[in-house]
Amino acid sequence: ETGVTQSPTHLIKTRGQQVTLRCSSQSGHNTVSWYQQALGQGPQFIFQYYREEENGRGNFPPRFSGLQFPNYSSELNVNALELDDSALYLCASSWGTANEKLFFGSGTQLSVL
Amino acid sequence: GESVGLHLPTLSVQEGDNSIINCAYSNSASDYFIWYKQESGKGPQFIIDIRSNMDKRQGQRVTVLLNKTVKHLSLQIAATQPGDSAVYFCAEALSGYSTLTFGKGTMLLVSP
């Protein structure tokens, strides 16, 4: 098991609502990346946070936003939820932005009805 | 109709067999590759990695082979066990960048 923890583990929302997902990085890791994993697919990169700022973003609209806190924990916020946002959201931590070896949490399963 | 995306390639083996899982990667500039194992309800777990200056790397019961000419990776699992049953993903990256691009995944089913 990695030391990356995510909450909540499961969440059900309705279309148009907003959601906040939380992640605590592994001890000593200062970089947090978020991935979206749709059913039957590989994870897709959403964005990365380093030193409390966004450091790279995948092909996701602005309604996906995030924060990183001084203790390196992070939040993923999604506004105006759509049905296609239903997925497993994974948080991964690493030491530095140049370290390709990521440690993943177990994810938050989001269902949008 | 059904979504093709819901049907993962599946490899079914008997306990004790050797398993080979294949992956085609997309970016010829990628120079770092990782195999992850994902069990149901869990996040991806690191198995083994390889850089593009190597064509083979061995771990405990696992071997990764890299063929840059055809942009192909394979993961070999020796003496496969029921606990190896999971979905396996390859991922690619550029050295020095921690953004991973994942492949589609292969489900490995190991029967006793």
Side-chain angles (χ1 to χ4, degrees), chain A residues 72-88:
Chain A
Y72 307 134
S73 66
S74 177
E75 287 182 354
L76 164 66
N77 300 290
V78 188
N79 294 323
L81 283 167
E82 300 177 0
L83 297 180
D84 283 350
D85 295 333
S86 296
L88 180 68

Side-chain angles (χ1 to χ4, degrees), chain B residues 7-28:
Chain B
H7 297 284
L8 281 173
T10 300
L11 175 64
S12 296
V13 301
Q14 294 285 119
E15 182 178 0
D17 287 351
N18 296 330
S19 303
I20 299 176
I21 300 171
N22 296 304
C23 172
Y25 63 92
S26 57
N27 187 352
S28 56

Side-chain angles (χ1 to χ4, degrees), chain B residues 18-78:
Chain B
N18 296 330
S19 303
I20 299 176
I21 300 171
N22 296 304
C23 172
Y25 63 92
S26 57
N27 187 352
S28 56
S30 295
D31 55 5
Y32 178 68
F33 306 89
I34 314 173
W35 280 99
Y36 281 94
K37 172 187 181 182
Q38 188 173 25
E39 297 173 283
S40 181
K42 296 185 179 180
Q45 176 189 355
F46 173 89
I47 301 173
I48 191 168
D49 58 358
I50 189 168
R51 297 199 180 272
S52 60
N53 60 352
M54 304 174 70
D55 52 21
K56 179 179 180 178
R57 190 164 187 226
Q58 290 184 292
Q60 186 177 11
R61 278 203 309 120
V62 294
T63 300
V64 55
L65 298 177
L66 174 62
N67 185 330
K68 295 181 288 294
T69 303
V70 294
K71 295 192 291 185
H72 184 268
L73 271 175
S74 68
L75 176 70
Q76 300 178 359
I77 305 175

